[in-house]
Amino acid sequence: MTHGVYIASSDAESDKATIALGMVELLSSTVGSIGVFRPVVDASARDSVVETLRRRFKLKANYEDCVGVTYDEVHADPDAAMAAIMQAYWALASRCAAVVVVGTDYTDVGAPTEFTFNARVAANLATPVVLVVSGAERDHAEIRDATGLARQELAREHAARLATVVDRVAPDRAESLRKELDGIAYVLPEVPGLSAPTVRDLQRACDGRLIFGEEKRLGRETSGLVVAAMSLPNVLDRMEADRLVIMAADRAGAMLPALIAAHHSTDFPSVAGVVLTGEMYMPEPVFRLLAGMDVRLPVIATDQDTFSTATRLAAVRGGITPGAEGKIESALAAFAEAVDGDALLERLQVARSETVTPLMFEHTLLERARADRKRIVLPEGTEERVLRAADLLLRRDVADLVLLGSPRQVNAKASDLGFDLSAVTIIDPETSDLRERFAEEYARLRAHKGVTKELAMDTVGELSYFGTLMVQCGLADGMVSGAAHTTAQTIRPSFEILRSSLVSSVFFMCLADRVLVYGDCAVNPDPTTEQLADIAIDSAATAEQFGVEPRVAMLSYSTGASGSGAGVEKVRVATEMVKERRPDLLIEGPIQYDAAIDPGVARTKMPDSRVAGRATVFVVPDLNTGNTLYKGVQRSAGAVAIGPVLQGLRQPVNDLSRGATVHDIVNTVAITAVQAQGTQGSGS
């Protein structure tokens, strides 16, 4: 059965995109296949809401399958348009467990009122409505009246109402309105920044073209405009963070290099971008000067004059677009905070799917991390990917963060990227008062190796050692590093300081319909029989901690008693050791990969096994096999590989690949936070 839900706003001021994002995330955490559908779209460009949802949630349907008709088609023949909308919707719904329908954008669909049109579409699609009412510039009485009228209109069109959300409410009025509307509507406060235009929004509004700077910085949110019609000192004196500067192109020679210098200075606010106006071109010597510099700040050129550009840009209201990652995460966090997702799912009668998709696994990670926030230290405080991940983690309230590095350098880098680190603790190991305490602790732990406090002072100044000692001394609950450091630099300190048993690792392999655990694919090159047994037990425990029921397959090149040799014998003995130590654990070995994962092969090779064909934890005999296996599955099956996740430490420390994406870092921090929830701090 397909579960559909229709998001309809009663007026043009409400923010359907935030509600759509929240509903898609809510459903994608529960069922395996999600669709998004817009009944009416503008024919002139691909719909931004559809593209944002498809990209953020990696939806499989093509764009063309996610839209119904155009506004022109509704005008031409409303009845035919309605029939086409229904046909397109059901074609998509037939392939999905749930579909989120996002109503029209108040651009005149040719019906008596636009809301009535949406109510009628919802009734024809048999999808209950999430009614969105704007609270912007309205008092409580006006909000109640607007909500009541919209509910009456839904009833008149025989559309069922699932819930009501009042959005864009001033934060200082949200709590009182929430109490007044208790049981009637959810209240979503205005989220700072969601309505702020990005540099890209402003570029499009003035038909600008990027001539210098990085395209990825066009997604930065702006706080306002500055027209640089005065002298440079006066412009700098009036500059505030995240402003877009507008200036005539023929003034670029006098102003632009200085603005770029101010942008990189720690003593001036960071600029979001620069728009050069007018049909005249930048002076050639200035262009040559900038071409030889590492200019990352977006510099945009438009043929419009300064007055027209400023007037047009001042009227732009920002929205959520596919590239606005920060806005998307802020919107998702706001929805999750304001709306009772479990209650909505219960009213929709959506049962949790037995399938576990990568999105479902990642959503569960974030939810568990948020439920019991931990403090995670990130030693690579000036690495751009780490800062981008930190920005997203803070927007979603996943963890409290500590960044290591010079506060001046970290803040300058964050300012350059447009990130607010006011909620982050920044510590410089070079100057921190903690260094002496950490040196004493490290000397105590490594006294058997002849380490004195004097020798330790240099060691603990290194970022990875400093971060690991924060964890050891109870000043952080876990550490994530490796985006800019080698694996050895990241995990050697944890081996020396936090090891409680054999240190090994697992990867969570998120396939299209399930999550598997592979261990050990990153740490132990050729484990002994005893070590292999330890890895199996620890991997099963890690799987269970993250909601994967452990059924352990001890992999080999033969199954059961069919093969012989030293490698097979090692796996066979290790399996028996696990059975003796953990008789409650479902385990099979030696077993080949196909017999472990494929029920058909299992029926032939091991018909009586409770693990064969159903294994969830795969333990490899050596690092060569493990690394080849996980990378082969990752590439050939399109699996999302999360890890390596380290085991055998008193407190969690996890290593990143130096090619880690921002998404990888976010997932690894969430995993580290969840691991920390199951451990006790040393509190030295």
Side-chain angles (χ1 to χ4, degrees):
M1 174 183 177
T2 300
H3 298 275
V5 60
Y6 197 108
I7 299 169
S9 54
S10 65
D11 49 69
E13 297 302 316
S14 59
D15 181 14
K16 292 189 302 298
T18 292
I19 312 305
L21 281 163
M23 285 303 304
V24 175
E25 181 175 66
L26 180 63
L27 287 166
S28 67
S29 69
T30 308
V31 298
S33 54
I34 301 293
V36 59
F37 183 75
R38 292 212 82 177
V40 188
V41 295
D42 190 335
S44 64
R46 290 168 81 94
D47 185 81
S48 178
V49 172
V50 171
E51 291 294 72
T52 298
L53 294 170
R54 289 180 66 243
R55 174 171 164 177
R56 172 60 177 79
F57 297 102
K58 302 179 179 66
L59 304 183
K60 295 179 179 178
N62 296 324
Y63 174 83
E64 292 74 17
D65 297 330
C66 298
V67 299
V69 299
T70 66
Y71 288 99
D72 290 341
E73 288 175 293
V74 176
H75 280 291
D77 189 339
D79 291 337
M82 184 68 76
I85 289 169
M86 294 175 64
Q87 182 178 357
Y89 170 79
W90 287 112
L92 176 66
S94 67
R95 308 196 303 272
C96 302
V99 178
V100 174
V101 185
V102 186
T104 59
D105 285 330
Y106 281 79
T107 50
D108 178 18
V109 294
T113 69
E114 187 146 347
F115 183 67
T116 300
F117 175 85
N118 283 284
R120 194 168 298 152
V121 174
N124 280 307
L125 299 182
T127 51
V129 173
V130 173
L131 169 61
V132 188
V133 178
S134 174
E137 307 298 328
R138 284 174 168 165
D139 60 28
H140 291 194
E142 290 172 325
I143 291 171
R144 292 184 72 95
D145 289 344
T147 301
L149 289 172
R151 293 173 66 177
Q152 290 175 17
E153 190 66 24
L154 288 175
R156 188 176 299 116
E157 295 297 329
H158 308 289
R161 184 182 62 88
L162 178 69
T164 301
V165 179
V166 181
D167 70 347
R168 301 196 59 205
V169 176
D172 60 347
R173 294 196 300 121
E175 187 57 34
S176 61
L177 182 62
R178 189 176 288 116
K179 292 177 180 177
E180 185 174 328
L181 298 181
D182 185 34
I184 299 175
Y186 299 113
V187 176
L188 191 65
E190 181 86 75
V191 179
L194 284 190
S195 60
T198 63
V199 178
R200 182 179 283 105
D201 293 330
L202 299 176
Q203 177 196 13
R204 289 170 177 163
C206 67
D207 298 321
R209 55 195 179 278
L210 184 68
I211 58 173
F212 288 109
E214 297 179 335
E215 186 169 354
K216 64 183 177 181
R217 297 187 184 225
L218 294 175
R220 180 171 181 170
E221 297 157 18
T222 62
S223 63
L225 306 174
V226 172
V227 178
M230 298 169 284
S231 65
L232 178 62
N234 282 314
V235 171
L236 293 177
D237 191 48
R238 287 162 174 76
M239 192 63 63
E240 296 180 19
D242 302 321
R243 296 292 174 125
L244 183 91
V245 180
I246 303 171
M247 72 173 70
D250 61 355
R251 299 197 73 207
M255 302 284 289
L256 190 52
L259 276 175
I260 292 173
H263 170 75
H264 290 290
S265 170
T266 57
D267 296 321
F268 284 88
S270 178
V271 179
V274 177
V275 173
L276 303 178
T277 64
E279 295 183 359
M280 67 283 290
Y281 293 97
M282 180 188 301
E284 191 276 336
V286 179
F287 189 93
R288 195 153 30 95
L289 171 65
L290 296 177
M293 299 169 59
D294 182 20
V295 180
R296 300 182 181 182
L297 175 73
V299 179
I300 296 161
T302 178
D303 292 336
Q304 299 172 18
D305 61 50
T306 300
F307 178 79
S308 299
T309 300
T311 302
R312 183 175 293 191
L313 298 191
V316 176
R317 183 176 182 271
I320 296 174
T321 56
E325 291 186 359
K327 287 188 177 185
I328 290 170
E329 298 306 319
S330 293
L332 289 169
F335 180 91
E337 177 71 22
V339 176
D340 187 342
D342 291 339
L344 286 187
L345 292 176
E346 186 176 346
R347 293 193 65 184
L348 276 172
Q349 298 182 332
V350 177
R352 179 168 290 277
S353 170
E354 293 184 4
T355 296
V356 180
T357 67
L359 276 175
M360 293 167 71
F361 184 72
E362 292 171 9
H363 180 270
T364 301
L365 276 182
L366 296 179
E367 287 296 305
R368 290 185 61 183
R370 272 196 296 267
D372 181 12
R373 288 165 61 99
K374 296 300 179 183
R375 197 174 197 227
I376 307 300
V377 58
L378 305 173
E380 298 154 323
T382 57
E383 164 63 39
E384 180 173 331
R385 288 166 295 162
V386 171
L387 288 170
R388 290 187 179 278
D391 179 62
L392 299 182
L393 289 161
L394 291 172
R395 290 176 186 260
R396 295 302 300 270
D397 294 324
V398 173
D400 297 321
L401 301 178
V402 179
L403 294 177
L404 299 187
S406 160
R408 189 179 181 88
Q409 292 178 0
V410 174
N411 281 316
K413 184 75 171 181
S415 178
D416 177 40
L417 295 168
F419 300 145
D420 178 8
L421 295 185
S422 57
V424 173
T425 300
I426 303 173
I427 299 176
D428 186 354
E430 290 293 326
T431 60
S432 173
D433 294 339
L434 293 169
R435 192 164 175 175
E436 184 167 345
R437 174 184 172 185
F438 288 173
E440 292 175 353
E441 177 67 6
Y442 184 67
R444 181 184 70 81
L445 293 170
R446 303 294 289 174
H448 63 289
K449 293 291 187 179
V451 175
T452 64
K453 179 181 174 182
E454 290 70 26
L455 291 172
M457 283 295 289
D458 286 336
T459 301
V460 302
E462 296 177 21
L463 294 174
S464 292
Y465 275 95
F466 192 94
T468 305
L469 282 158
M470 284 191 70
V471 178
Q472 162 68 12
C473 294
L475 302 177
D477 301 302
M479 184 180 86
V480 174
S481 188
H485 291 83
T486 66
T487 294
Q489 288 173 315
T490 298
I491 67 176
R492 183 187 295 118
S494 63
F495 276 41
E496 296 177 0
I497 297 167
L498 296 172
R499 174 162 32 188
S500 61
S501 59
L502 174 73
V503 178
S504 62
S505 72
V506 298
F507 279 89
F508 289 98
M509 302 299 294
C510 302
L511 303 176
D513 59 349
R514 58 189 139 169
V515 176
L516 305 177
V517 177
Y518 289 2
D520 170 17
C521 304
V523 178
N524 295 284
D526 188 16
T528 65
T529 301
E530 293 78 8
Q531 289 173 334
L532 199 58
D534 289 340
I535 291 168
I537 291 172
D538 288 347
S539 299
T542 299
E544 192 166 27
Q545 183 181 15
F546 287 90
V548 178
E549 182 182 354
R551 294 187 290 272
V552 184
M554 304 290 282
L555 296 181
S556 179
Y557 58 79
S558 70
T559 296
S562 64
S564 60
V568 176
E569 188 61 24
K570 180 174 80 168
V571 174
R572 181 177 290 114
V573 173
T575 303
E576 293 305 315
M577 293 177 67
V578 174
K579 289 179 178 179
E580 290 177 8
R581 292 167 55 186
R582 286 288 307 277
D584 59 309
L585 194 60
L586 293 178
I587 186 169
E588 192 69 73
I591 186 171
Q592 292 162 289
Y593 189 86
D594 59 349
I597 199 168
D598 189 318
V601 176
R603 282 193 292 271
T604 301
K605 294 189 174 183
M606 304 191 83
D608 299 324
S609 173
R610 298 170 63 189
V611 172
R614 302 174 62 242
T616 57
V617 179
F618 297 78
V619 178
V620 298
D622 54 61
L623 189 57
N624 183 50
T625 303
N627 197 265
T628 303
L629 174 64
Y630 103 78
K631 288 186 175 177
V633 172
Q634 181 184 28
R635 298 299 179 186
S636 61
V640 176
I642 301 177
V645 178
L646 297 184
Q647 309 169 140
L649 302 174
R650 290 193 306 279
Q651 289 288 105
V653 170
N654 284 311
D655 177 38
L656 297 164
S657 162
R658 275 178 285 176
T661 65
V662 173
H663 189 69
D664 294 334
I665 299 170
V666 169
N667 280 337
T668 304
V669 170
I671 278 183
T672 306
V674 173
Q675 284 182 297
Q677 292 170 0
T679 60
Q680 297 295 322
S682 58
S684 297

